Amino acid sequence: MKKNFFVLCLMFVCSVVFADAVKDWADFEAQLRKGGMAAVEAEFYAKKLTQSLADFAADKNISEDAVWVFPIKGYSVKDVSNIKKLYRAMAESASDTKFFDGEQFLGQQYLNIEVSTKNAASPADIVAVNNAIVVYTKKGALNSVSGNCVWLYNPAQNFYIYYGYLRDVDVNIGDIVKTGDKIGAIRPSKKGYNLKFAVLTYGDEKFGLYPYFEDMQ
């Protein structure tokens, strides 16, 4: 009986600590995008909170799938009409993501995936490109700079995965998602779908772009 009680207590404590690590990142992200944090302060918290997320995700079995899926369900890399521009923007911005510069990050060229299709008559599902934890969501904000958005975190290489301009968000902070799980939906445009998307890696106290297309189906 005592052993069972101890196990339950330990599980409760771990869940609270884990929740705090995720909540702390969500609070940090919210303040960062509001422009209420100096770059030096932001760099300090990014290092501290990334380590916290990595520590508390260690026992959650969040591996990295070797093959990443395309973020818009039903489409693939072959459907990206601006892929050359994206590769060029990624190469130019690999060491300067502007992640710590608030809303400036959201204006980066490498964020805009354009999928051309004549069948974009209804919203398309947006899926998790790899296994991850949901560390930030913004809902009910269609008219803001990034619209509704989601950040995922995978501890394998400290991946942060960003989705913006979403019509709907179907996940909550702290959810663990598997590759291919629905996280929301995006509205169609005149020519197809436009999604703000990026995969960043954190290391050496800075964020860098990860060339995700090379690993995607």
Side-chain angles (χ1 to χ4, degrees):
M1 183 69 180
K2 289 183 178 180
K3 182 179 179 180
N4 290 338
F5 178 74
F6 173 76
V7 171
L8 289 173
C9 289
L10 181 61
M11 290 175 62
F12 173 76
V13 170
C14 288
S15 65
V16 170
V17 172
F18 176 69
D20 286 346
V22 176
K23 182 180 182 300
D24 287 346
W25 179 271
D27 291 342
F28 165 68
E29 180 67 31
Q31 289 301 315
L32 194 62
R33 297 298 154 237
K34 290 178 181 178
M37 190 174 293
V40 173
E41 185 181 11
E43 290 172 3
F44 169 79
Y45 280 111
K47 179 180 179 180
K48 178 181 178 181
L49 296 176
T50 295
Q51 185 59 58
S52 294
L53 285 175
D55 289 344
F56 298 124
D59 63 344
K60 301 298 178 181
N61 297 319
I62 304 173
S63 60
E64 177 196 352
D65 281 342
V67 177
W68 294 50
V69 301
F70 193 69
I72 305 176
K73 188 174 182 179
Y75 298 91
S76 71
V77 175
K78 296 178 181 178
D79 299 306
V80 180
S81 59
N82 65 330
I83 194 166
K84 290 183 179 180
K85 290 183 179 179
L86 285 175
Y87 270 123
R88 186 162 56 247
M90 286 180 183
E92 293 173 353
S93 305
S95 61
D96 182 24
T97 66
K98 289 184 167 47
F99 181 82
F100 295 123
D101 294 335
E103 296 289 1
Q104 288 189 46
F105 166 75
L106 303 176
Q108 294 298 285
Q109 293 183 2
Y110 56 77
L111 288 176
N112 299 312
I113 289 181
E114 298 175 5
V115 169
S116 296
T117 175
K118 297 179 180 180
N119 302 317
S122 59
D125 288 349
I126 300 301
V127 300
V129 294
N130 217 304
N131 305 318
I133 314 167
V134 180
V135 293
Y136 179 79
T137 65
K138 182 189 285 186
K139 304 178 182 181
L142 289 174
N143 296 322
S144 70
V145 175
S146 61
N148 296 327
C149 62
V150 172
W151 278 97
L152 306 180
Y153 173 75
N154 179 296
Q157 296 185 51
N158 283 331
F159 288 120
Y160 286 93
I161 306 168
Y162 172 75
Y163 303 77
Y165 280 175
L166 301 182
R167 177 181 183 272
D168 301 304
V169 173
D170 295 339
V171 292
N172 297 301
I173 294 171
D175 288 352
I176 295 178
V177 295
K178 298 293 185 182
T179 303
D181 284 354
K182 182 181 177 180
I183 64 169
I186 191 169
R187 289 175 171 170
S189 64
K190 292 181 179 179
K191 297 182 179 180
Y193 298 98
N194 294 322
L195 173 69
K196 279 188 175 289
F197 180 81
V199 179
L200 305 180
T201 57
Y202 183 79
D204 297 327
E205 300 185 19
K206 62 182 180 181
F207 285 92
L209 288 168
Y210 180 74
Y212 52 85
F213 281 138
E214 297 175 7
D215 294 331
M216 278 186 177
Q217 290 180 330

